[in-house]
Amino acid sequence: MERKNKFFGLGKTLAAGALALAMGPGSALATATFDGFATTTLSLEYGGDILSLGGAVDQNDSYTDEQANATASILADFVSADDFGASHDVQIQGEANPTGSGSVASAAVFTSTSVLLENTGTGDASVFAAFDWFALASATLDDLVNESAGVSVSIVLGTLDFFTGVTTELVNESIDLLTAGDDFLSGQFSEEFVVGAGEFLGLYVDVDVEGIAISVRDPGQGVPVPATLALLALGFIGLAARRKVAA
């Protein structure tokens, strides 16, 4: 079940705009960095007439983009799923360094897993699910005027009807860091599901980690740099509305 992302294309559009505006001679330069990390574990316990129809990695896409004097890396991208759960470990990092024309670094990882169970018996059966998550986001700015950076992390656990495609979110946690600083989130969730005779239980986990850093010159005249960075902030604010989008 692949999901389309809005951030990566938007990030490149904003980056191009920022570089186009960075054209004033003799201006101050600055460095921006980002780091994003997320790890989740879904564990399932069941027995009796519950039959696993398998766990699957439905999506595991990663992207990096480096413009001018910038670096972007996927430090970790480990995703797995089996009959008894799923795990995600994702980490990204990037740095935009000063140059005469500005620079942009961006990275993103989008992952999704699912597990499908069936009650093959004639009576109700139980499935116990435990879900743990932890995430970190960090961004640094040398100059609040001439650079910007941000990190977005999204963690979702939900149930999925494989026949109708209808999903129900059980956990939806996120970080939207739009400036220099650090943020984190962690938590636990558990639930016992009752699966009727002949019925199915589908569970999915989505973990997305995205980051961008821009270092530009103060143009001196024309459109101010703060206005350019405001456009970047609006792009990250838009991420709050994007959590799970069906292809």
Side-chain angles (χ1 to χ4, degrees), residues 6-96:
K6 298 179 181 178
F7 167 76
F8 200 72
L10 177 61
K12 289 201 279 191
T13 301
L14 292 171
L19 290 176
L21 292 171
M23 54 188 180
S27 303
L29 300 175
T31 299
T33 71
F34 67 82
D35 291 271
F37 169 77
T39 181
T40 68
T41 302
L42 172 65
S43 301
L44 304 176
E45 297 179 7
Y46 54 85
D49 295 316
I50 294 292
L51 173 68
S52 173
L53 300 181
V57 176
D58 301 306
Q59 183 180 15
N60 187 10
D61 297 327
S62 60
Y63 309 89
T64 60
D65 187 42
E66 302 170 344
Q67 299 185 35
N69 188 17
T71 59
S73 304
I74 308 297
L75 300 181
D77 183 9
F78 305 110
V79 185
S80 64
D82 58 30
D83 294 341
F84 295 96
S87 62
H88 298 237
D89 289 287
V90 174
Q91 185 174 8
I92 61 173
Q93 187 177 80
E95 179 177 289

Side-chain angles (χ1 to χ4, degrees), residues 180-231:
D182 301 279
D183 200 356
F184 78 97
L185 59 85
S186 64
Q188 296 178 323
F189 171 88
S190 63
E191 184 167 334
E192 184 173 4
F193 297 91
V194 177
V195 184
E199 295 183 351
F200 297 84
L201 173 65
L203 294 166
Y204 70 89
V205 177
D206 293 342
V207 177
D208 299 342
V209 182
E210 313 169 64
I212 190 168
I214 296 178
S215 177
V216 299
R217 295 189 301 171
D218 182 353
Q221 296 180 354
V223 179
V225 168
T228 304
L229 301 186
L231 292 176

Side-chain angles (χ1 to χ4, degrees), residues 28-32 139-149 178-181 214 216 225-230 232:
L29 300 175
T31 299
T140 66
L141 305 174
D142 289 341
D143 186 331
L144 294 176
V145 175
N146 294 304
E147 63 189 17
S148 187
L178 306 180
T179 186
I214 296 178
V216 299
V225 168
T228 304
L229 301 186
L232 174 62

